[in-house]
């Protein structure tokens, strides 16, 4: 009977008020039945019980406060706003009027402050009003003890969060004097198994820190250990509140204190939670107080145990956020730690394959440059390219596919763009070392892939300063040629393909001179010809194109023996299973004819021409019309070397072709040549 229970509560409250001189002797006997009813299913009954409990204890002996606290705390999670409001009124009244209230401050204050962050505005206002009155009352009761502090606090001598009203001295003193008793319980609740409890505790922690101000310094170890756990919470509100609390630590505590604790923990066993806390305290701090500690922060973030601790996107995002916060808070002062921050950014970009995160890294690099009035992030690389390469190349002889350093090296090389052309004397020794055939195959494969991309855009990267030509011979003789040697296995074949791609990109850029081409011809050409027999279609096609490019560069300076070693291999490729390879081989043979025509003594080629003409005429009857047309063009180019011999060979095979059309076309071309010659 809910109405009976409500009337009973009302009777108990009135009885307490009417007979205060004797009621205290029976007050304790009412506590147990009240607490049995406080969780009644009707919210109005729960409100009546809470109000009655407040009155009974107010007029009783006060010893029963401990018996009801846990029940009242549970009602702060009640779904009914009226119930939570009743708890707020009762606790506020006790803190103002209870005779033994000084003994229960540390137990009651957390309940009232929890209501200050209630989701209902009216409850928040009610709790805040009670708390203001309680602080002012306590301040008046202890005015003599607080005289010095009242005079001193007239002027705010510490930093305070923007947009937040500072509590009165009485409220601050109440929290400060009871903080050592309240914090351990809050810390336990922030790791409670019930999500609602953790959220409430995290909200309460913010208010406690806001009141305690710089007095929280003595509780730093407990606070930080609590936040490391709460920042890993699966509940987003708990993490958000913990971050706000950490920002207050940055506002009120000397960086010397919190950085010593946080950075030591971070260096020992870095985790996402540690980075979240570090970023928050830096955000809450100021450039002025952080400035003496920037070198220490930068060095800790750039340590391998910190920036390479995890490849998870979440970890790298918070590591990047620490850098972003440093740039935002300290601005131009970050010039003192440009290099460590660049190392962190390079490492993040190296470890992630997440495009969104890579874009964030690029924007952060631009922000770092902008904070120092630099045009773009390339100016940062220009300042530190030597240190960055030296940093990653320190253990280049130990690099493997699993080494972070070779990924960092690739990132530096790719991102530095045109700045790379200024540091070739440092880049090429590293490339030469890590691309030797005895090094890790998969690592070489990745570096070669990067190198081929650079060579395709050499004018904007390697040759931005026009110095690349000095390193061409080293690139070909010491890097590419050794990796073109045949070794068993798919990985080795893939490496040969990337090496061939690099060589093709180099020749395609037209940076290699005649003198340089002739200098490496004897070492290079046999390896390229061998690549014509590779299993990879791409390798065979690129090898044909490379032969063509080399012949274009130095064909008229090659002797007949050197030329005669080339065409048989190209002729074989006309039988290739891939039309793309056949087309590339045919085009290379066209260039070969042009080179052979430059030599004076054509008799040296007679037997070779006979063999070559016969082979080409076979493919002039190819099933593919585009191949036929291409071979016709090739034979037209080569016909001027020995028109009579070619005519003789055509007449010998013309009747064997399915259609004599292309043979007739070729004969007409030869007749036209003879007519022009006569």
């Amino acid at each position: 009977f809910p109405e009976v229970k409500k009337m009973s509560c009302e009777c108990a409250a009135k009885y307490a008020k009417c007979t205060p001189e004797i009621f205290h002797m029976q007050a304790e006997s009412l506590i147990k039945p009240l607490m049995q009813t406080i969780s009644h299913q009707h919210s109005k009954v729960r409100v009546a019980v809470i109000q009655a409990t407040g009155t009974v204890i107010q007029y009783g002996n006060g010893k029963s406060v401990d018996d009801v606290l846990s029940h009242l705390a549970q009602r702060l999670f009640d779904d009914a706003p009226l119930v939570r409001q009743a708890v707020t009124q009762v606790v506020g009244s006790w803190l103002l009027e209870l005779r033994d209230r000084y003994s229960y401050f540390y137990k009651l204050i957390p309940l009232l402050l929890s209501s200050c962050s209630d989701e209902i505005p009216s409850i928040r206002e009610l709790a805040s009003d009670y708390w203001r009155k309680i602080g002012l009352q306590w301040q008046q009761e202890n005015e003599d003890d607080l005289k010095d502090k009242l005079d001193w606090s007239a002027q705010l001598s510490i930093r305070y969060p923007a947009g937040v009203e500072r509590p009165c001295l009485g409220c601050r003193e109440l929290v400060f004097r009871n903080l050592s008793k309240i914090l351990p319980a809050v810390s336990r609740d922030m790791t409670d198994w019930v999500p609602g409890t953790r959220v409430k505790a995290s909200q309460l922690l913010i208010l406690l820190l806001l009141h305690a101000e710089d007095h929280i310094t003595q509780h730093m170890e407990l606070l930080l250990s609590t936040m490391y756990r709460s920042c890993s919470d699966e509940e987003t509100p708990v993490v958000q509140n913990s971050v706000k609390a950490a920002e207050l630590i940055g506002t009120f505590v000397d960086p010397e204190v919190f950085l010593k604790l946080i950075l030591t923990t971070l260096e020992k066993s870095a985790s996402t939670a540690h980075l979240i806390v570090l970023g928050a305290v830096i955000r809450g701090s100021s450039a002025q107080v952080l400035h003496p500690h920037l070198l220490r922060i930068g060095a800790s973030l750039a340590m391998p145990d910190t920036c390479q601790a995890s490849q998870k996107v979440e970890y790298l995002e918070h590591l990047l956020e620490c850098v972003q916060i440093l740039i935002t808070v300290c601005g131009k002062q970050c010039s003192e730690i440009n290099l460590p921050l660049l190392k962190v950014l390079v490492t993040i970009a190296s470890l992630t394959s997440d495009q969104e995160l890579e874009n964030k890294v690029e924007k952060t690099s631009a922000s770092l440059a902008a904070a120092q009035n630099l045009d773009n992030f390339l100016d940062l690389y220009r300042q530190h390219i030597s240190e960055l390469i030296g940093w990653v190349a320190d253990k280049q002889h130990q690099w493997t596919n699993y080494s972070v350093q070779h990924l960092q090296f690739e990132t530096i090389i790719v991102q530095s763009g045109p700045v790379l052309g200024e540091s070739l004397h440092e880049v090429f020794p590293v490339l030469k070392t890590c691309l030797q055939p005895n090094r890790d195959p998969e690592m070489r494969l990745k570096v070669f892939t990067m190198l081929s991309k650079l060579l395709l855009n050499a004018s904007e990267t390697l040759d931005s300063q026009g110095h690349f030509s000095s390193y061409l011979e080293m690139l070909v003789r010491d890097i590419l040629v050794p990796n073109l040697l045949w070794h068993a296995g798919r990985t080795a074949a893939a490496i040969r393909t990337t090496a061939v791609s690099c060589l093709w990109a180099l020749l395609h850029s037209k940076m290699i001179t005649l003198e340089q081409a002739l200098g490496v011809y004897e070492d290079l050409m046999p390896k390229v010809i061998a690549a014509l027999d590779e299993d990879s279609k791409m390798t065979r096609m690129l090898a044909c194109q490379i032969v063509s490019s080399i012949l274009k560069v130095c064909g008229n300076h090659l002797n007949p023996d050197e030329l005669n070693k080339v065409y048989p291999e190209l002729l074989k490729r006309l039988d290739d299973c891939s039309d793309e390879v056949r087309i590339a081989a045919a085009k290379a043979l066209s260039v070969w004819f042009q080179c052979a025509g430059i030599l004076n003594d054509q008799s040296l080629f007679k037997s070779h021409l006979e063999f070559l003409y016969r082979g080409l005429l076979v493919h002039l009857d190819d099933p593919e019309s585009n191949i036929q047309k291409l071979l016709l063009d090739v034979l037209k180019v080569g016909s001027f070397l020995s028109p009579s011999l070619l005519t003789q060979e055509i007449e010998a095979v013309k009747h064997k072709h399915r259609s004599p059309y292309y043979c007739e076309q070729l004969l007409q071309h030869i007749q036209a040549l003879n007519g022009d010659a006569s």
Side-chain angles (χ1 to χ4, degrees):
F1 302 101
E3 293 299 324
V4 173
K5 294 180 185 293
K6 285 192 287 184
M7 290 301 298
S8 299
C9 290
E10 189 177 339
C11 289
K14 287 183 177 179
Y15 177 57
K17 291 177 181 178
C18 293
T19 58
E21 63 281 353
I22 60 170
F23 178 74
H24 65 276
M25 293 185 289
Q26 294 297 321
E28 289 186 39
S29 63
L30 292 173
I31 296 300
K32 186 175 181 181
L34 282 169
M35 292 305 100
Q36 288 174 341
T37 315
I38 201 169
S39 57
H40 193 275
Q41 62 182 353
H42 289 189
S43 62
K44 291 183 179 180
V45 174
R46 298 198 296 275
V47 169
V49 170
I50 291 168
Q51 291 171 341
T53 302
T55 305
V56 167
I57 289 181
Q58 181 73 45
Y59 290 94
N61 54 24
K63 294 179 181 178
S64 301
V65 172
D66 289 333
D67 297 330
V68 304
L69 276 178
S70 62
H71 296 279
L72 291 178
Q74 193 61 39
R75 289 305 101 204
L76 287 175
F77 296 93
D78 202 292
D79 292 333
L82 287 175
V83 175
R84 301 199 301 275
Q85 182 176 308
V87 174
T88 304
Q89 290 171 331
V90 167
V91 173
S93 299
W94 286 352
L95 284 168
L96 282 172
E97 301 168 4
L98 197 65
R99 284 190 296 273
D100 297 333
R101 61 184 179 277
Y102 276 50
S103 302
Y104 297 105
F105 271 151
Y106 74 97
K107 295 181 179 180
L108 295 174
I109 287 173
L111 298 183
L112 186 62
L113 288 181
S114 293
S115 293
C116 289
S117 55
D118 195 276
E119 60 186 19
I120 303 298
S122 59
I123 297 176
R124 292 200 300 270
E125 291 172 8
L126 176 65
S128 299
D129 188 49
Y130 266 117
W131 180 235
R132 195 177 301 109
K133 290 176 182 177
I134 292 160
L136 290 172
Q137 176 182 291
W138 187 88
Q139 189 174 309
Q140 292 169 359
E141 292 171 352
N142 298 270
E143 191 171 359
D144 293 339
D145 294 342
L146 299 176
K147 190 175 187 315
D148 293 339
K149 289 187 177 181
L150 281 167
D151 296 337
W152 176 78
S153 66
Q155 294 182 345
L156 184 60
S157 60
I158 62 171
R159 290 181 63 248
Y160 210 73
V164 179
E165 182 183 352
R166 193 185 192 196
C168 68
L169 178 62
C171 293
R172 300 200 307 272
E173 280 292 313
L174 275 173
V175 170
F176 160 58
R177 298 190 179 198
N178 293 280
L179 192 61
S180 59
K181 297 176 182 176
I182 297 173
L183 268 185
V186 174
S187 177
R188 285 194 301 273
D189 283 352
M190 285 185 71
T191 55
D192 193 85
W193 69 275
V194 179
T197 303
R198 300 200 299 274
V199 173
K200 278 284 185 186
S202 63
Q203 292 171 337
L204 175 59
L205 181 62
I206 294 173
L207 289 170
L208 292 175
L209 298 186
L210 201 59
H211 284 75
E213 297 180 351
D214 55 345
H215 295 296
I216 61 180
T217 302
Q218 58 191 295
H219 304 288
M220 280 300 297
E221 289 192 5
L222 174 61
L223 284 171
L224 289 175
S225 63
T226 301
M227 287 180 188
Y228 294 151
R229 295 194 302 272
S230 61
C231 283
S232 302
D233 201 288
E234 58 190 15
E235 295 292 324
T236 303
V238 176
V239 177
Q240 291 172 341
N241 292 331
S242 300
V243 169
K244 290 178 183 176
E247 288 175 1
L248 293 175
I249 290 176
T251 301
F252 296 128
V253 179
D254 185 347
E256 180 73 32
V257 176
F258 67 68
L259 286 176
K260 182 180 179 181
L261 294 170
I262 296 173
L263 295 181
T264 302
T265 305
L266 186 67
E267 291 166 7
K268 285 181 180 177
S269 57
S271 71
T272 302
H274 297 148
L275 292 174
I276 294 174
V277 173
L278 176 61
V281 296
I282 293 173
R283 188 190 290 113
S285 191
S286 67
Q288 183 180 356
V289 297
L290 281 176
H291 183 240
H293 309 283
L294 281 180
L295 293 176
R296 173 87 168 91
I297 297 171
S300 293
L301 289 176
M303 286 181 63
D305 288 343
T306 303
C307 62
Q308 300 175 22
S310 173
Q311 295 186 23
K312 292 181 179 179
V313 172
E314 182 187 19
Y315 181 87
L316 296 175
E317 280 182 339
H318 287 291
L319 179 60
L320 178 62
E321 189 177 2
C322 286
V323 176
Q324 292 169 336
I325 292 169
L326 270 173
I327 296 169
T328 303
V329 173
C330 299
K332 197 169 184 178
Q333 294 177 350
C334 286
S335 60
E336 299 177 16
I337 53 170
N338 266 347
L339 183 58
L341 294 186
L342 261 182
K343 289 179 179 179
V344 175
L345 294 174
V346 165
T347 303
I348 296 171
S350 304
L351 294 177
T352 187
S353 57
D354 184 82
Q355 187 59 50
E356 185 178 351
L357 184 54
E358 289 179 5
N359 294 338
K360 288 180 182 177
V361 171
E362 190 174 333
K363 290 180 182 177
T364 306
S365 300
S367 300
L368 182 58
Q372 297 159 57
N373 299 321
L374 298 175
D375 291 336
N376 53 53
F377 71 90
L378 291 177
D379 290 333
L380 287 175
Y381 274 101
R382 187 167 284 110
Q383 290 178 2
H384 301 291
I385 187 73
S386 296
E387 293 99 325
L388 288 171
I389 292 174
W391 165 57
V392 297
D394 185 41
K395 296 182 179 179
Q396 56 184 291
H397 295 283
Q398 301 173 18
W399 287 2
T400 67
N401 184 45
Y402 302 102
S403 302
V404 176
Q405 288 87 349
H406 89 80
L407 297 175
Q408 293 169 328
F409 177 69
E410 290 177 31
T411 301
I412 293 167
I413 297 301
V414 172
Q415 290 191 349
S416 57
V419 179
L420 184 62
E422 302 172 17
S423 303
L424 297 181
H425 61 288
E426 293 168 316
V427 172
F428 268 94
V430 179
L431 287 173
K432 181 180 175 181
T433 301
C434 67
L435 290 175
Q436 291 305 300
N438 60 341
R439 300 302 300 276
D440 184 276
E442 293 185 8
M443 183 265 292
R444 282 188 288 144
L445 189 59
K446 291 180 180 177
V447 177
F448 265 129
T449 303
M450 171 207 69
L451 183 57
S452 64
K453 293 177 182 177
L454 291 176
L455 290 169
L456 283 171
N457 192 27
S459 61
E460 298 294 328
T461 55
L462 293 167
D463 199 38
S464 62
Q465 305 300 312
H467 303 319
F468 181 49
S469 58
S470 304
Y471 297 90
L472 279 173
E473 189 171 343
M474 178 193 291
L475 174 61
V476 175
R477 195 186 301 277
D478 299 333
I479 296 177
L480 297 179
V481 169
N483 284 282
L484 289 173
L485 287 172
W486 190 89
H487 295 282
R490 292 182 180 178
T491 305
I495 290 172
R496 291 195 298 277
T497 300
T498 54
V500 167
S501 300
C502 287
L503 183 56
W504 178 83
L506 175 62
L507 292 166
H508 183 71
S509 64
K510 298 181 181 178
M511 288 185 295
I512 191 165
T513 64
L514 171 62
E515 185 180 352
Q516 290 169 332
L518 291 172
V520 298
Y521 184 89
E522 289 187 10
D523 292 327
L524 180 61
M525 202 58 166
K527 309 298 187 300
V528 176
I529 290 175
L532 291 170
D533 288 324
E534 285 283 351
D535 291 336
S536 166
K537 178 190 77 174
M538 176 65 71
T539 307
R540 298 195 305 274
M541 184 181 70
L542 289 175
C544 291
Q545 294 173 350
I546 290 168
V547 170
S548 180
S549 297
I550 293 175
L551 291 176
K552 286 177 182 178
V553 174
C554 54
N556 58 339
H557 288 76
L558 297 176
N559 60 54
D561 288 338
E562 289 172 329
L563 281 174
N564 290 335
K565 291 177 182 177
V566 175
Y567 81 85
E569 302 302 325
L570 292 174
L571 197 56
K572 288 180 186 176
R573 287 305 102 210
L574 292 179
D575 290 318
D576 200 278
C577 60
S578 166
D579 284 348
E580 292 176 341
V581 176
R582 299 171 71 196
I583 291 169
K587 290 179 179 178
L589 282 169
S590 182
V591 178
W592 184 92
F593 278 128
Q594 295 169 19
C595 296
I598 297 170
L599 298 178
N600 295 324
D601 192 356
Q602 299 297 328
S603 61
L604 296 171
F605 289 100
K606 185 173 181 182
S607 60
H608 297 285
L609 285 175
E610 184 179 349
F611 178 75
L612 184 52
Y613 285 156
R614 286 178 181 174
L616 292 172
L617 286 170
V618 170
H619 294 284
L620 191 62
D621 193 34
D622 196 271
E624 296 291 335
S625 60
N626 61 328
I627 300 292
Q628 287 180 295
K629 292 175 183 177
L630 182 59
L631 264 295
L632 176 62
D633 293 337
V634 172
L635 283 165
K636 284 181 179 180
V637 172
S639 61
F640 76 96
L641 290 176
S642 182
S644 59
L645 178 60
L646 180 54
T647 302
Q648 181 182 333
E649 293 298 329
I650 294 171
E651 294 294 347
V653 299
K654 183 170 66 170
H655 66 281
K656 298 179 182 178
H657 284 204
R658 289 170 298 174
S659 170
Y661 175 76
Y662 289 103
C663 288
E664 295 294 346
Q665 290 285 318
L666 190 52
L667 286 171
Q668 290 175 15
H669 174 75
I670 295 171
Q671 289 173 2
L673 279 179
N674 290 334
D676 293 340
S678 61

